Amino acid sequence: MASSSTLSSLVFPHLFLLNNPSKSPLLPFSTTSSPNPPRIRRPSIEASSSNSRRDAYVIDEKTQLLLERYGIDPSELEPRRDKKSRRKREEVEKQLPEETKAPRTTHKLLQVLGGKARRKKLLSPKGMDVRPMMEVVKGAAFGILQVAGGSPAFLRQGRWLDLYSGTGSVGIEAISRGCSEVHFVEMDPWVVTEVLRPNLEWTGFLDVSVIHRVRVESFLEQAEHSLCKDGPFDYISVTPPYTAVDYSILMEQLAMSCLVGKDTFILVEYPLGTAMLDSCGCLVKVADRRFGRTHLAVYGPTWSQKKRK
């Protein structure tokens, strides 16, 4: 018959080894600590380049056009790690001197939707540094304006102010549909020289256009001494970079400006999650539409609400 110590070693082997370290066949225990304990080497991890990951998310021009038309930012399709690395790359590129940055290029993805320049292709910068109004949003905006103005088939004539104009696609659409004059406000000199002005020359609208290469905030402050003598604008479009403006401050500045009259219409493109007031000075909100992550608010005179009904 087996002794009690033998049975305990079979049932509780770990307890037996702890109580009898000298009898362990694998791990000899010692009561004295070693002066030079063995160092455990951890496996090294090599960071792989993200170029292959980044190349996997390259989107062709047709797909990018389709995504932008329906309000989807192509960069939102990238995994979170890629978006973080993309932000880091953008921050690094901003700090680089001009001669080391990649050259900016253009392509023809936009077009005029209606009027005398209908279907003419327009230049736009490649990448997301300039984000033109999507065509589905632009078409809906002019449809709302035409109905609110009492002429569903065409745009009521007048003067247009295109703030944050970028490619100029909104102001060009306005001239094509009947506006007599458009003022474009764009601060990026490369965009003005390589995109906006060529688009105006290509459509034949340069003679009825005025380009202001200045920040929008400065333009609105200086307007009292220059443009206000010609009276308020009939239309104002506001399509800023979403993260570069405070909409509450911008709309308050517009509401107090002499460029806005009692019969002015204001188009405002803003991102999802932004709270917009129901009025802008003497103007009321005529429409508020959503297109994916993009929203479009239209402010106008009180009489325009009755015509929309």
Side-chain angles (χ1 to χ4, degrees):
M1 185 173 178
S3 64
S4 60
S5 61
T6 305
L7 290 175
S8 63
S9 65
L10 294 175
V11 179
F12 305 108
H14 58 288
L15 295 177
F16 177 78
L17 292 176
L18 289 175
N19 295 326
N20 302 275
S22 60
K23 297 182 180 182
S24 171
L26 297 177
L27 300 174
F29 282 75
S30 176
T31 56
T32 60
S33 59
S34 175
N36 297 314
R39 297 179 63 184
I40 300 175
R41 295 185 61 185
R42 297 183 179 181
S44 61
I45 301 175
E46 296 183 0
S48 60
S49 173
S50 61
N51 289 335
S52 58
R53 290 171 56 85
R54 187 164 63 249
D55 294 340
Y57 293 96
V58 174
I59 300 176
D60 58 84
E61 292 186 358
K62 290 185 178 179
T63 305
Q64 182 177 351
L65 176 61
L66 184 62
L67 293 174
E68 291 178 353
R69 183 173 296 177
Y70 287 94
I72 301 174
D73 185 349
S75 62
E76 295 292 336
L77 300 179
E78 299 180 10
R80 184 171 297 177
R81 286 182 61 186
D82 285 327
K83 287 194 293 183
K84 289 182 178 179
S85 62
R86 178 172 56 84
R87 293 194 194 100
K88 291 181 179 178
R89 289 197 306 271
E90 291 176 353
E91 292 176 358
V92 171
E93 288 176 357
K94 289 180 180 179
Q95 299 174 1
L96 292 176
E98 290 295 331
E99 58 270 13
T100 61
K101 293 182 180 180
R104 300 170 74 179
T105 56
T106 61
H107 51 185
K108 287 192 174 183
L109 290 181
L110 305 175
Q111 66 175 346
V112 183
L113 302 180
K116 51 191 175 184
R118 184 170 179 261
R119 293 184 180 175
K120 279 202 170 186
K121 294 288 186 178
L122 301 176
L123 291 171
S124 61
K126 289 185 178 181
M128 298 300 292
D129 54 340
V130 175
R131 183 192 49 79
M133 178 181 279
M134 297 179 298
E135 291 185 354
V136 64
V137 180
K138 184 170 65 174
F142 279 89
I144 293 171
L145 287 179
Q146 289 174 185
V147 173
S151 305
F154 56 89
L155 188 66
R156 186 169 57 96
Q157 292 188 358
R159 297 164 62 238
W160 190 291
L161 175 60
D162 189 4
L163 301 177
Y164 306 96
S165 57
T167 64
S169 65
V170 177
I172 290 173
E173 189 77 33
I175 301 174
S176 180
R177 295 182 183 236
C179 275
S180 57
E181 183 184 59
V182 174
H183 288 250
F184 297 90
V185 182
E186 173 58 47
M187 64 172 289
D188 191 328
W190 183 89
V191 172
V192 171
T193 304
E194 302 296 331
V195 181
L196 176 56
R197 187 177 292 274
N199 282 339
L200 292 173
E201 292 174 349
W202 166 242
T203 52
F205 297 153
L206 188 59
D207 294 339
V208 292
S209 303
V210 181
I211 300 175
H212 304 269
R213 207 182 78 181
V214 66
R215 293 179 61 88
V216 168
E217 295 80 4
S218 302
F219 174 82
L220 293 176
E221 292 174 358
Q222 300 168 6
E224 296 182 2
H225 309 290
S226 55
L227 291 176
C228 286
K229 60 183 179 180
D230 298 326
F233 282 90
D234 299 282
Y235 303 96
I236 299 176
S237 54
V238 184
T239 56
Y242 290 158
T243 59
V245 298
D246 186 322
Y247 279 84
S248 60
I249 296 176
L250 177 61
M251 296 307 295
E252 183 180 358
Q253 195 174 8
L254 271 177
M256 300 173 62
S257 175
C258 60
L259 303 178
V260 178
K262 59 183 181 62
D263 293 325
T264 301
F265 286 92
I266 302 179
L267 298 177
V268 184
E269 187 182 49
Y270 65 96
L272 181 67
T274 303
M276 299 294 291
L277 297 176
D278 292 331
S279 62
C280 179
C282 61
L283 307 178
V284 296
K285 188 185 288 185
V286 176
D288 198 339
R289 300 271 300 275
R290 178 181 176 180
F291 304 86
R293 296 179 178 86
T294 300
H295 281 249
L296 174 70
V298 180
Y299 296 90
T302 53
W303 55 259
S304 63
Q305 287 183 315
K306 299 178 182 179
K307 293 192 176 182
R308 274 187 59 80
K309 294 179 181 179

